[in-house]
């Protein structure tokens, strides 16, 4: 199956700092999403971004599908940004798709 | 528009028992996929159902099964529970399926503890 690697595994930021999270994948993918897992476990959609660049407030994401990576940018971080960020890619096997997650980046934003 | 609803949110079972979890997708979505999250293995794909048919399955033993009803609600069942089945079980809904373009939307999860 496809390999999805996220880096760094852990990130500690001071409030107001900027950061970049990376997601590398080993093969062509149908789509890619970034999620933030809240303290109760729910995966909150951040971006659906199979290619290109998108922005939503202080967050933005870029996927370069030909080079098999995606980046998530957090600017002016706030304590509410703390949590685990996952990228997930869809690849097709046996005519149907499977969602493969990376291991996540644990972000802690300190006041 | 209501989101994805999973029940129950929390449950405790003992080894050897079985458990059934439910997932109601967003209205109009025909695909429900299931995932297991554990500290050791991370988030893993279990299976996907689309219009009452299983489309794809991850690498899990036969004790893990599922089904989908005509209203797109899905259930997953785990029989003969083992301690290692303790996990957060998440389901996701999408209009056209995991392999298609478009977002997947997740429920809040069912947290299973096996004693």
């Amino acid at each position: 199956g496809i390999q999805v690697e996220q880096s760094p595994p852990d990130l500690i930021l001071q409030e107001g700092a900027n950061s970049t999270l990376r997601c590398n994948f080993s093969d062509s993918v149908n789509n890619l999403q970034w999620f933030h897992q809240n303290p109760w476990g729910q995966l909150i959609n951040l971006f659906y971004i199979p290619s290109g660049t998108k922005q939503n407030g202080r967050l933005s994401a870029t996927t370069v599908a030909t080079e098999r990576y995606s980046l998530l940018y957090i600017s002016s971080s706030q304590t509410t940004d703390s949590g685990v960020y996952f990228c997930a890619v869809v690849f097709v096997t046996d005519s149907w798709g499977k969602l493969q997650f990376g291991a996540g980046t644990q972000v802690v934003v300190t006041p | 528009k209501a989101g994805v609803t999973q029940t129950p949110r929390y449950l405790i079972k003992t080894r050897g028992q079985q458990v059934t979890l439910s997932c109601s997708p967003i209205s109009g979505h025909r695909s429900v996929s299931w995932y297991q999250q554990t500290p050791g293995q991370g988030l893993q794909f279990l299976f996907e159902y689309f219009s009452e048919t299983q489309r794809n399955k991850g690498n899990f033993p036969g004790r893990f099964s599922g089904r989908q009803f005509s209203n797109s609600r899905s259930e997953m069942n785990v029989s003969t529970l083992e301690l290692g089945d303790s996990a957060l079980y998440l389901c996701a809904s999408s209009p056209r399926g995991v392999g298609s373009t478009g977002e997947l939307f997740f429920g809040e999860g069912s947290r299973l503890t096996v004693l």
Side-chain angles (χ1 to χ4, degrees):
Chain A
I2 198 168
Q3 306 301 314
V4 182
E5 295 182 352
Q6 290 188 243
S7 60
D10 300 280
L11 192 57
I12 300 176
L13 301 168
Q14 194 139 27
E15 206 167 21
N18 302 329
S19 63
T20 301
L21 283 58
R22 188 176 180 103
C23 174
N24 292 336
F25 42 97
S26 61
D27 207 341
S28 301
V29 298
N30 280 28
N31 68 46
L32 185 146
Q33 285 187 246
W34 283 96
F35 298 93
H36 179 211
Q37 189 164 40
N38 69 21
W40 298 271
Q42 187 175 12
L43 291 171
I44 307 299
N45 291 35
L46 296 178
F47 294 101
Y48 166 72
I49 187 163
S51 64
T53 297
K54 290 187 177 179
Q55 179 150 12
N56 184 2
R58 296 180 296 101
L59 301 180
S60 63
T62 295
T63 296
V64 183
T66 52
E67 297 187 22
R68 300 178 184 168
Y69 73 89
S70 183
L71 302 173
L72 177 69
Y73 306 95
I74 305 175
S75 66
S76 303
S77 58
Q78 301 177 357
T79 55
T80 52
D81 295 330
S82 295
V84 185
Y85 291 79
F86 290 99
C87 77
V89 302
V90 173
F91 64 103
V92 176
T93 67
D94 302 321
S95 303
W96 303 118
K98 283 186 179 180
L99 191 66
Q100 180 73 41
F101 284 86
T105 294
Q106 173 84 56
V107 174
V108 174
V109 181
T110 61
Chain B
K1 199 173 188 180
V4 181
T5 304
Q6 290 188 244
T7 57
R9 293 291 313 282
Y10 302 91
L11 65 167
I12 300 173
K13 294 284 186 178
T14 57
R15 278 178 298 176
Q17 287 187 311
Q18 73 165 11
V19 66
T20 299
L21 309 177
S22 177
C23 175
S24 293
I26 292 169
S27 177
H29 286 194
R30 296 164 64 188
S31 164
V32 173
S33 50
W34 288 88
Y35 304 83
Q36 182 196 62
Q37 186 177 25
T38 60
Q41 299 298 318
L43 278 153
Q44 297 186 88
F45 172 84
L46 278 158
F47 31 65
E48 180 194 10
Y49 284 87
F50 185 93
S51 293
E52 303 179 65
T53 301
Q54 187 179 88
R55 266 186 172 178
N56 215 336
K57 186 172 165 61
N59 296 325
F60 281 83
R63 300 185 297 107
F64 291 80
S65 63
R67 59 178 175 169
Q68 188 178 34
F69 302 95
S70 58
N71 62 357
S72 294
R73 188 177 71 85
S74 177
E75 290 181 347
M76 69 161 282
N77 183 276
V78 187
S79 62
T80 319
L81 284 166
E82 301 176 359
L83 295 179
D85 297 333
S86 295
L88 177 66
Y89 291 89
L90 292 160
C91 78
S93 119
S94 71
R96 291 178 299 277
V98 173
S100 302
T101 56
E103 291 179 83
L104 279 76
F105 298 90
F106 281 81
E108 294 179 297
S110 293
R111 193 169 294 276
L112 170 66
T113 300
V114 182
L115 302 176

